[in-house]
Amino acid sequence: MKLVQVSDIHFGGENREAVEAAAAWIVEAQPDLVVAAGDLTLDGKAAEFEAAAEWLSRLPDPMIVVPGNHDTPFVGPGELFERFTRGWGRFKERFGDEDGAAWRAPGITVASLNSARIAQVRWNWSKGAVSHGQIRRVVRELEAAPAGDLRVVVCHHPLMEILGGPMTAKVHGGVDAANRFVAAGADVILSGHIHLPFVTAIPFGDGKTQAVGSGTLSVRERGAAPGFNVIEIEPECIRVKALAYERGQFDVWRTWAFDRRL
């Protein structure tokens, strides 16, 4: 099985050449699932959502889309009014509910949660949060997966800080969520947010749960060229390839491989 993981496209600030090339690459690859892990827009504007929806409509189905902290209006008085009256309205009109998207196929169960918030009791609203209710729901979905399924969780913010990462996520409830998801058998937790691809083991349980982050397809680069991840699932192994757009094409920037929990 092959998954494609994109995030932080930031329409309104996208790398147009890389975005077009990525669409062509993904269509040709025909993955089994496309995961869009948030920050589809730059400022949550209606025109940016239209561009994101048009681009994603060109990619193969099935697809799971979760929002990020940029995917609610926040620039200008009118946009702030929109944020606080129907903060996820623009997202929902185009992609469905902002929380709880799920997908299942033989051998794989995917759950998701919205780690972004319209407002928080702290100055930096861009940081993430996970509620107790979200944790309980994802745990139920993971525990209900058939034996032998690869169990995948999707959210925008890395639940735990990434060592050496270019920015922080500081997810309220993130460590508890990671711990509970590991206990429920999660194999992979997919995210974005920091604009840099990574794979790192979550230090709970048997140490086999991996956090996998994809880079950005925007001009807001942080240490890597615009790109996305390809995740290849084999019976005993998972391989992650971070592709980067350089010199007019996508090439492999870095690869990781790790054993599956059997």
Side-chain angles (χ1 to χ4, degrees), residues 4-195:
V4 164
Q5 176 192 10
V6 301
S7 67
D8 301 273
I9 310 163
H10 287 297
F11 279 95
E14 76 275 22
N15 184 311
R16 295 182 181 180
E17 189 176 315
V19 163
E20 288 303 310
W25 195 100
I26 295 168
V27 167
E28 183 175 357
Q30 288 294 304
D32 297 281
L33 176 69
V34 174
V35 173
D39 277 3
L40 308 175
T41 69
L42 183 62
D43 295 322
K45 295 179 179 178
E48 296 169 357
F49 273 111
E50 286 299 319
E54 189 280 329
W55 186 76
L56 288 172
S57 74
R58 291 154 54 190
L59 305 187
D61 286 325
M63 180 182 301
I64 279 189
V65 185
V66 302
N69 51 282
H70 279 260
D71 294 327
T72 185
F74 65 95
V75 175
E79 295 293 277
L80 284 173
F81 178 79
E82 177 87 7
R83 180 188 188 100
F84 288 108
T85 56
R86 53 188 304 273
W88 300 112
R90 292 173 181 173
F91 180 92
K92 292 175 73 169
E93 288 165 0
R94 295 160 179 87
F95 307 113
D97 289 341
E98 75 278 8
D99 190 44
W103 181 75
R104 183 167 194 285
I108 183 170
T109 294
V110 183
S112 75
L113 61 94
N114 179 12
S115 60
R117 294 294 183 265
I118 292 170
Q120 300 183 60
V121 188
R122 53 175 165 172
W123 174 249
N124 193 339
W125 294 347
S126 73
K127 304 304 180 185
V130 182
S131 71
H132 295 300
Q134 287 177 308
I135 294 173
R136 288 193 294 270
R137 174 180 54 76
V138 171
V139 165
R140 286 195 302 269
E141 293 171 1
L142 295 175
E143 291 179 341
D149 263 20
L150 185 80
R151 292 166 168 85
V152 179
V153 179
V154 181
C155 53
H156 177 62
H157 297 81
L159 296 178
M160 302 180 66
E161 295 305 305
I162 304 305
L163 184 65
M167 63 183 296
T168 63
K170 294 185 176 178
V171 178
H172 280 169
V175 173
D176 182 36
N179 206 337
R180 295 279 302 281
F181 296 163
V182 169
D187 296 291
V188 180
I189 301 177
L190 305 180
S191 65
H193 188 62
I194 69 171
H195 293 204

